[in-house]
Amino acid sequence: SIASADMDLNQLEAFLTAQTKKQGGITSDQASVIAKFWKNHRTHIHESLINQSRWDNVLKNVSWRVDLKSQLRHIDQINTPVAIVEMELGKNGQ
């Protein structure tokens, strides 16, 4: 729960306090150890979760434009906007 929510220190303290008050929850010593571990390793854990959930391909570049049609067979279709999106994908780490 702590890692998936990427809790800041205030959220962490509130969460661990609630866990210590639950019947069958954690002790205050366990809460202290968890808090210290999270403070020291939060960035590494967050990056690891992101890397595990990422596909092999990553988005390298995006370009887009909006075109307006100026000549068509039917007058009601003139000036209809058309969005064109180009996405460049690459392998993770390359």
Side-chain angles (χ1 to χ4, degrees):
S1 295
I2 296 168
S4 63
D6 193 27
M7 293 184 184
D8 63 22
L9 297 179
N10 291 331
Q11 292 170 323
L12 176 66
E13 184 178 336
F15 178 77
L16 292 176
T17 300
Q19 295 301 311
T20 59
K21 293 181 180 181
K22 284 174 61 174
Q23 186 175 2
I26 61 175
T27 66
S28 58
D29 289 338
Q30 291 171 325
S32 296
V33 170
I34 293 169
K36 184 176 180 180
F37 181 83
W38 181 247
K39 289 174 189 175
N40 291 332
H41 300 286
R42 177 182 179 190
T43 305
H44 179 70
I45 293 168
H46 184 69
E47 288 174 3
S48 176
L49 287 175
I50 289 172
N51 288 335
Q52 289 174 23
S53 65
R54 189 181 302 164
W55 296 341
D56 284 339
N57 291 328
V58 293
L59 185 62
K60 296 288 187 181
N61 189 26
V62 175
S63 60
W64 61 275
R65 72 175 196 248
V66 176
D67 292 344
L68 294 175
K69 296 180 180 181
S70 60
Q71 288 185 332
L72 286 170
R73 209 178 266 186
H74 303 287
I75 192 77
D76 61 335
Q77 292 178 342
I78 292 180
N79 292 332
T80 303
V82 177
I84 299 172
V85 179
E86 179 183 352
M87 294 184 271
E88 179 184 351
L89 301 175
K91 290 288 183 188
N92 191 11
Q94 294 180 353

